[in-house]
PDB file of all heavy atoms in Angstrom:
ATOM      1  N   ASP A 169      23.063 -27.723 -28.098  1.00  0.00           N
ATOM      2  CA  ASP A 169      22.187 -26.546 -28.245  1.00  0.00           C
ATOM      3  C   ASP A 169      22.589 -25.939 -29.600  1.00  0.00           C
ATOM      4  O   ASP A 169      23.150 -26.655 -30.456  1.00  0.00           O
ATOM      5  CB  ASP A 169      22.394 -25.555 -27.090  1.00  0.00           C
ATOM      6  CG  ASP A 169      21.334 -24.446 -27.046  1.00  0.00           C
ATOM      7  OD1 ASP A 169      20.216 -24.709 -26.607  1.00  0.00           O
ATOM      8  OD2 ASP A 169      21.631 -23.310 -27.470  1.00  0.00           O
ATOM      9  N   THR A 213      13.014 -32.424 -28.961  1.00  0.00           N
ATOM     10  CA  THR A 213      12.577 -31.045 -28.678  1.00  0.00           C
ATOM     11  C   THR A 213      11.467 -30.629 -29.649  1.00  0.00           C
ATOM     12  O   THR A 213      10.440 -30.093 -29.243  1.00  0.00           O
ATOM     13  CB  THR A 213      13.776 -30.081 -28.748  1.00  0.00           C
ATOM     14  OG1 THR A 213      14.811 -30.596 -27.908  1.00  0.00           O
ATOM     15  CG2 THR A 213      13.394 -28.696 -28.277  1.00  0.00           C
ATOM     16  N   SER A 266      19.775 -17.828 -40.397  1.00  0.00           N
ATOM     17  CA  SER A 266      20.044 -16.441 -40.016  1.00  0.00           C
ATOM     18  C   SER A 266      20.222 -15.516 -41.217  1.00  0.00           C
ATOM     19  O   SER A 266      20.307 -14.305 -41.055  1.00  0.00           O
ATOM     20  CB  SER A 266      21.243 -16.364 -39.077  1.00  0.00           C
ATOM     21  OG  SER A 266      22.351 -17.003 -39.648  1.00  0.00           O
ATOM     22  N   ARG A 291      23.377 -23.010 -46.771  1.00  0.00           N
ATOM     23  CA  ARG A 291      22.370 -22.040 -46.356  1.00  0.00           C
ATOM     24  C   ARG A 291      20.989 -22.451 -46.883  1.00  0.00           C
ATOM     25  O   ARG A 291      20.868 -23.125 -47.911  1.00  0.00           O
ATOM     26  CB  ARG A 291      22.715 -20.629 -46.872  1.00  0.00           C
ATOM     27  CG  ARG A 291      24.146 -20.183 -46.641  1.00  0.00           C
ATOM     28  CD  ARG A 291      24.585 -20.345 -45.208  1.00  0.00           C
ATOM     29  NE  ARG A 291      23.772 -19.613 -44.259  1.00  0.00           N
ATOM     30  CZ  ARG A 291      23.650 -19.908 -42.960  1.00  0.00           C
ATOM     31  NH1 ARG A 291      24.269 -20.959 -42.456  1.00  0.00           N
ATOM     32  NH2 ARG A 291      22.891 -19.186 -42.176  1.00  0.00           N
TER      33      ARG A 291
HETATM   34  P1  NDP B 501      20.704 -25.455 -34.288  1.00  0.00           P
HETATM   35  O1  NDP B 501      22.071 -24.882 -34.232  1.00  0.00           O
HETATM   36  O2  NDP B 501      20.523 -26.854 -34.706  1.00  0.00           O
HETATM   37  O3  NDP B 501      19.780 -24.541 -35.229  1.00  0.00           O
HETATM   38  C1  NDP B 501      19.597 -23.179 -34.948  1.00  0.00           C
HETATM   39  C2  NDP B 501      18.796 -22.577 -36.078  1.00  0.00           C
HETATM   40  O4  NDP B 501      18.435 -21.249 -35.715  1.00  0.00           O
HETATM   41  C3  NDP B 501      19.601 -22.472 -37.392  1.00  0.00           C
HETATM   42  O5  NDP B 501      18.721 -22.527 -38.467  1.00  0.00           O
HETATM   43  C4  NDP B 501      20.219 -21.074 -37.242  1.00  0.00           C
HETATM   44  O6  NDP B 501      20.556 -20.482 -38.480  1.00  0.00           O
HETATM   45  C5  NDP B 501      19.100 -20.306 -36.588  1.00  0.00           C
HETATM   46  N1  NDP B 501      19.674 -19.220 -35.778  1.00  0.00           N
HETATM   47  C6  NDP B 501      20.574 -19.328 -34.772  1.00  0.00           C
HETATM   48  N2  NDP B 501      20.916 -18.144 -34.288  1.00  0.00           N
HETATM   49  C7  NDP B 501      20.215 -17.252 -35.020  1.00  0.00           C
HETATM   50  C8  NDP B 501      20.130 -15.843 -35.010  1.00  0.00           C
HETATM   51  N3  NDP B 501      20.852 -15.111 -34.143  1.00  0.00           N
HETATM   52  N4  NDP B 501      19.281 -15.256 -35.885  1.00  0.00           N
HETATM   53  C9  NDP B 501      18.549 -15.997 -36.754  1.00  0.00           C
HETATM   54  N5  NDP B 501      18.596 -17.347 -36.818  1.00  0.00           N
HETATM   55  C10 NDP B 501      19.419 -17.940 -35.963  1.00  0.00           C
HETATM   56  O7  NDP B 501      20.082 -25.206 -32.814  1.00  0.00           O
HETATM   57  P2  NDP B 501      18.816 -25.905 -32.141  1.00  0.00           P
HETATM   58  O8  NDP B 501      17.800 -26.216 -33.161  1.00  0.00           O
HETATM   59  O9  NDP B 501      19.314 -26.962 -31.261  1.00  0.00           O
HETATM   60  O10 NDP B 501      18.297 -24.733 -31.177  1.00  0.00           O
HETATM   61  C11 NDP B 501      17.314 -23.780 -31.586  1.00  0.00           C
HETATM   62  C12 NDP B 501      16.685 -23.139 -30.357  1.00  0.00           C
HETATM   63  O11 NDP B 501      16.047 -24.166 -29.574  1.00  0.00           O
HETATM   64  C13 NDP B 501      17.639 -22.429 -29.410  1.00  0.00           C
HETATM   65  O12 NDP B 501      16.986 -21.360 -28.794  1.00  0.00           O
HETATM   66  C14 NDP B 501      17.920 -23.493 -28.346  1.00  0.00           C
HETATM   67  O13 NDP B 501      18.345 -22.941 -27.123  1.00  0.00           O
HETATM   68  C15 NDP B 501      16.540 -24.115 -28.233  1.00  0.00           C
HETATM   69  N6  NDP B 501      16.493 -25.456 -27.652  1.00  0.00           N
HETATM   70  C16 NDP B 501      17.181 -26.492 -28.211  1.00  0.00           C
HETATM   71  C17 NDP B 501      17.099 -27.739 -27.666  1.00  0.00           C
HETATM   72  C18 NDP B 501      17.735 -28.937 -28.300  1.00  0.00           C
HETATM   73  O14 NDP B 501      17.447 -30.056 -27.863  1.00  0.00           O
HETATM   74  N7  NDP B 501      18.565 -28.781 -29.321  1.00  0.00           N
HETATM   75  C19 NDP B 501      16.329 -27.987 -26.421  1.00  0.00           C
HETATM   76  C20 NDP B 501      15.560 -26.843 -25.983  1.00  0.00           C
HETATM   77  C21 NDP B 501      15.680 -25.631 -26.570  1.00  0.00           C
HETATM   78  P3  NDP B 501      22.096 -20.378 -38.930  1.00  0.00           P
HETATM   79  O15 NDP B 501      22.458 -21.761 -39.362  1.00  0.00           O
HETATM   80  O16 NDP B 501      22.119 -19.381 -40.004  1.00  0.00           O
HETATM   81  O17 NDP B 501      22.865 -19.931 -37.713  1.00  0.00           O
END
Side-chain angles (χ1 to χ4, degrees):
D169 190 77
T213 308
S266 54
R291 312 309 301 156

